[in-house]
Amino acid sequence: MQINLRIKETVSDLTKRLFYMLFDNELKQQQELKALETIFKSVASEITDKEPEKLWEDFQKKLPEIKHKIQLDALATEKNDPACKSLEEIYLAYPGFHAIAIHRMSHELFKLGVPIVARMMSECIHGKTGIDIHPGATIGDSFFIDHGTGIVIGETSIIKNNVKIYQGVTLGGLSVKKSLAQTKRHPTIEDNVTIYANATILGGDIVIGANSIIGANVWITQSVPENSLVTYKSEIRISTKNHDK
């Protein structure tokens, strides 16, 4: 089997330009869309049997909705991060926002049946930010990632609206047989949930109820009712050092 590994570089450029294009002025956007269409069709023709023309047409129809969702994510970031000085700062300098934005695009391609392109796009931003979001994950509106390094969100995760997660969070799956690959293996996070740093939530039948707060460093393998507060209790002792006289 021959694989054109150089296509990874092409997809990296495509990913970056698609994101930039969404926020260009109308004239620049139309010019860039023509160029991106050519690149997209070339990539699609190499790695899928689907009709590249139809794939691009369907994806392009989704771009206004994708842009709207990205704008909601930016507003959620501005609202939730006290360190944020402006929306401009978010668009230019926030890795969590950047990772979400690329996911919005890769997820649509995943749904259109081109998972390899979608995965390559997600890996482009994973390498830049340290945030690993599988393109199959379903994420609702106004999603906020703070800091972000080390976050892992698995393929069948479902995240509803107004969810906040912090660095090191894992929405993962318990080990299953390959034959169960098509089953739901990752948790569901309901509306208005906050998940603090390094929390781990595992399992496809796990639901974190709406309006809950999941504290830092917790390990969850069972569902949590709505309006819950889940914390990890550890004993930290502070004592005075003995000094030699």
Side-chain angles (χ1 to χ4, degrees), residues 35-62:
L36 290 171
E37 178 179 2
T38 300
I39 297 170
F40 178 90
K41 289 178 180 178
S42 174
V43 169
S45 65
E46 284 202 49
I47 58 178
T48 180
D49 294 331
K50 295 181 180 293
E51 175 55 49
E53 183 78 35
K54 182 66 164 56
L55 284 173
W56 176 255
E57 179 182 335
D58 290 343
F59 180 62
Q60 189 172 348
K61 288 177 181 177
K62 286 289 186 178

Side-chain angles (χ1 to χ4, degrees), residues 160-164 189-194 209-213:
K160 303 257 179 112
N161 300 322
N162 303 306
V163 169
K164 300 183 288 185
I189 312 299
E190 296 286 355
D191 293 344
N192 307 311
V193 169
T194 298
N211 310 307
S212 292
I213 296 175

Side-chain angles (χ1 to χ4, degrees), residues 174-206:
L174 297 169
S175 180
V176 298
K177 296 178 181 179
K178 186 70 172 180
S179 60
L180 298 176
Q182 299 305 311
T183 63
K184 190 176 186 306
R185 309 184 308 281
H186 305 93
T188 295
I189 312 299
E190 296 286 355
D191 293 344
N192 307 311
V193 169
T194 298
I195 308 174
Y196 283 105
N198 299 312
T200 298
I201 305 171
L202 303 177
D205 59 349
I206 303 305

Side-chain angles (χ1 to χ4, degrees), residues 6 14 47 63 94 118 124 156 167 176 188-189 219-220 222:
R6 291 177 179 82
L14 174 67
I47 58 178
L63 291 177
Y94 268 61
C124 290
T156 61
Q167 67 272 15
V176 298
T188 295
I189 312 299
W219 178 279
I220 294 176
Q222 63 185 52

